[in-house]
Amino acid sequence: MNRAPPSVWRRPTHFFAFGLGSGTVPWAPGTFGTLAAIPFYWIMAELPLGWYLGIVFVAFVVGVWLCDKTSHDLGVHDHSGIVWDEFVGYWITMAAVPFSWEAALWGFIVFRIFDVFKPWPIRWADRRVAGGFGIMIDDVMAGIYAWSTMHLWYWLH
């Protein structure tokens, strides 16, 4: 566990990379980061799919920069408190899923499972891809796996 630096509250890049402060929680910051993404999903779920995906894409691109800058500033690659990647991964999970609290909960659980266990090739990317893109890509991949699982479940029911 890495302690959250005080710069989280002073530097906007660190504040956003730390998921609006949700990554400062001393235990399970990724889980708290994912929880913090849910209210934004609730708002975004009402948007047309194109707008939703556009926001997620911009959040990814900005996230690559945020995560790279913050990890460089802190001198720690993928500090445990950097959770912007969890925001984006969760939003990918929930793309085109109609909002309900049950869906939001299931998406949270499914995303966290893929993010924690990192099945192939997620674990490979997590270990071999560096920089801000490396911080983001494993959660994007976990989000794609979780998105597939959510839509498969909806299709079967």
Side-chain angles (χ1 to χ4, degrees):
M1 172 182 65
N2 299 319
R3 290 186 60 129
S7 63
V8 169
W9 307 110
R10 292 192 306 263
R11 292 186 179 175
T13 54
H14 294 195
F15 180 69
F16 281 99
F18 273 69
L20 309 176
S22 62
T24 63
V25 175
W27 45 273
T31 298
F32 280 89
T34 307
L35 285 171
I38 294 173
F40 295 97
Y41 160 65
W42 184 16
I43 294 165
M44 292 165 42
E46 298 298 319
L47 297 172
L49 183 58
W51 280 95
Y52 183 98
L53 295 175
I55 290 169
V56 173
F57 178 75
V58 169
F60 168 75
V61 172
V62 170
V64 169
W65 178 78
L66 285 172
C67 294
D68 189 63
K69 172 91 173 104
T70 301
S71 66
H72 182 265
D73 290 349
L74 301 179
V76 178
H77 174 70
D78 205 0
H79 186 289
S80 62
I82 295 175
V83 296
W84 187 255
D85 49 334
E86 271 80 11
F87 275 53
V88 173
Y90 178 74
W91 295 338
I92 290 169
T93 300
M94 301 308 292
V97 175
F99 183 82
S100 73
W101 286 108
E102 295 83 9
L105 174 64
W106 281 113
F108 169 82
I109 291 168
V110 172
F111 172 70
R112 291 306 300 149
I113 288 170
F114 284 113
D115 190 32
V116 169
F117 291 104
K118 298 186 187 318
W120 188 90
I122 300 170
R123 184 174 308 279
W124 178 88
D126 185 49
R127 291 182 178 164
R128 292 200 170 81
V129 183
F133 185 78
I135 293 170
M136 294 291 296
I137 196 62
D138 66 302
D139 290 81
V140 166
M141 294 168 78
I144 292 168
Y145 275 37
W147 176 86
S148 300
T149 302
M150 292 290 288
H151 284 273
L152 179 63
W153 184 85
Y154 274 105
W155 182 70
L156 292 174
H157 287 90

